[in-house]
Amino acid sequence: MTYDNGAAPSARTAAAPADGRTVNPASGQASGRAADRSGGPTADPAAKPAFGRAADPAGDPEVDPSGGPAPDAAGPRADRPGDMVADRPGDVVADHPAEATDPHCLSAEEADALLRCAPWRRFAVVGDSLAEGLGDPTPGYRTESWADRTARALRRAAPDATYLNLGLRGLTAGQVRAGQAERAARFAPDLVAIVCGGNDLLLPGFSPDVLAKELDLLFGRLAVPGATVFTYALANVAAAVPELRGGPLEGGVAVLNEVTRTVAKRHGAVVVEMYDHPAGADRDLYSADLIHASARGHAVIAAATVRALAAEFSTGR
């Protein structure tokens, strides 16, 4: 798998604010430094992800004309042997025993069986911190985002597959559209994940209609003939945290999901349903901020993603 954003997946473990601000889950409101509407976040420069991609917000993807990976000055590339966690079942069982026995996760063999005939060769991800892959580590699970896990599974099905992740924390849907849609389109993906809207929800004056218009433009730009687009109905964290039930965060996520489902349907996109996922009531599915998935959450999301994609191409829709 070639990574064309010039950065391999990282596995940093320094806990920090998620999107350059603090969020009170009980009120559903953000405080501190919010995203700059001009197109980029104004996060605290000291803030680092618990884990996630070291995304490059500037410049275009670099692709080696020879077909190989572009030179990488930022660190090891993920397509070199040893740079990514091995997929061998013995490694998962020995080093990540909880993941190996989690009924909501997929083994490499299970994912391979589901994606054996997958047609995709160019996988792009656009969005905010959920696309970037922030989250807290979970003992017994690989510290790897849902997107990197999905890319790994696709690579096993097609070793020549290429992966571009433009996800960047703190961005609203409009900022994702303005800063990432054209870059992703130039990559000419045949599989696209669009993950944004959560930061819109946390801003004062949130408007579902405005969000729907921005998502319509974003989906419309990337849902081109020959491309499969997918997105997510986010998990209901209130199912795992009783004090949040009936509060603004639970209601807001329900509204966000409904907007996302409606727009996705208009553009023929696949919706990976996490809202009522059977693991959604498990507290360890979420990071300490109750906004992002934990390492276990990323593993569960990746499994749901692979299943949804497999169902999509098997039906030939």
Side-chain angles (χ1 to χ4, degrees):
M1 174 69 68
T2 301
Y3 288 79
D4 280 325
N5 68 343
S10 62
R12 290 173 287 182
T13 57
D19 286 299
R21 66 182 117 182
T22 58
V23 177
N24 181 349
S27 67
Q29 294 297 314
S31 62
R33 309 182 89 184
D36 178 356
R37 291 187 177 276
S38 65
T42 56
D44 180 349
K48 294 181 180 179
F51 70 94
R53 301 190 62 77
D56 175 12
D60 291 320
E62 296 179 359
V63 181
D64 185 339
S66 68
D72 182 13
R77 296 200 61 84
D79 51 353
R80 288 207 305 255
D83 285 336
M84 294 182 74
V85 178
D87 284 322
R88 295 186 299 274
D91 293 332
V92 175
V93 172
D95 300 333
H96 311 285
E99 179 176 336
T101 58
D102 191 326
H104 301 295
C105 296
L106 283 176
S107 68
E109 292 89 348
E110 290 170 322
D112 290 350
L114 288 168
L115 295 179
R116 184 165 292 120
C117 299
W120 303 293
R121 297 297 182 271
R122 300 182 69 79
F123 174 36
V125 178
V126 301
D128 54 25
S129 58
L130 301 182
E132 183 182 346
L134 300 194
D136 295 340
T138 305
Y141 289 80
R142 284 182 289 168
T143 305
E144 185 177 28
S145 74
W146 67 266
D148 289 350
R149 287 170 176 270
T150 302
R152 178 198 299 279
L154 291 168
R155 179 195 62 183
R156 290 196 304 269
D160 62 339
T162 303
Y163 168 40
L164 170 70
N165 191 328
L166 297 173
L168 189 64
R169 71 201 70 174
L171 301 186
T172 63
Q175 290 169 337
V176 170
R177 178 180 62 81
Q180 298 177 19
E182 291 305 319
R183 292 178 63 193
R186 286 196 296 271
F187 179 69
D190 54 11
L191 180 65
V192 185
I194 298 175
V195 192
C196 58
N199 289 312
D200 300 74
L201 176 64
L202 295 173
L203 290 175
F206 167 68
S207 167
D209 291 338
V210 171
L211 175 61
K213 290 177 182 178
E214 287 293 349
L215 290 178
D216 259 324
L217 292 169
L218 179 57
F219 276 73
R221 181 65 184 93
L222 296 173
V224 299
T228 299
V229 176
F230 68 95
T231 188
Y232 293 89
L234 303 183
N236 179 21
V237 67
V241 184
E243 55 267 34
L244 297 181
R245 292 173 188 169
L249 183 62
E250 183 177 33
V253 169
V255 171
L256 171 60
N257 285 343
E258 189 56 35
V259 170
T260 301
R261 292 186 190 102
T262 300
V263 173
K265 183 177 181 179
R266 277 200 290 269
H267 294 276
V270 177
V271 177
V272 182
E273 286 286 346
M274 297 303 300
Y275 190 77
D276 293 321
H277 192 282
D282 297 344
R283 176 61 184 83
D284 68 350
L285 209 71
Y286 310 94
S287 290
D289 62 9
L290 301 180
I291 299 296
H292 298 94
S294 65
R296 183 189 178 219
H298 281 280
V300 171
I301 293 168
T305 301
V306 169
R307 291 187 177 106
L309 292 178
E312 173 67 10
F313 75 75
S314 67
T315 60
R317 192 179 74 168

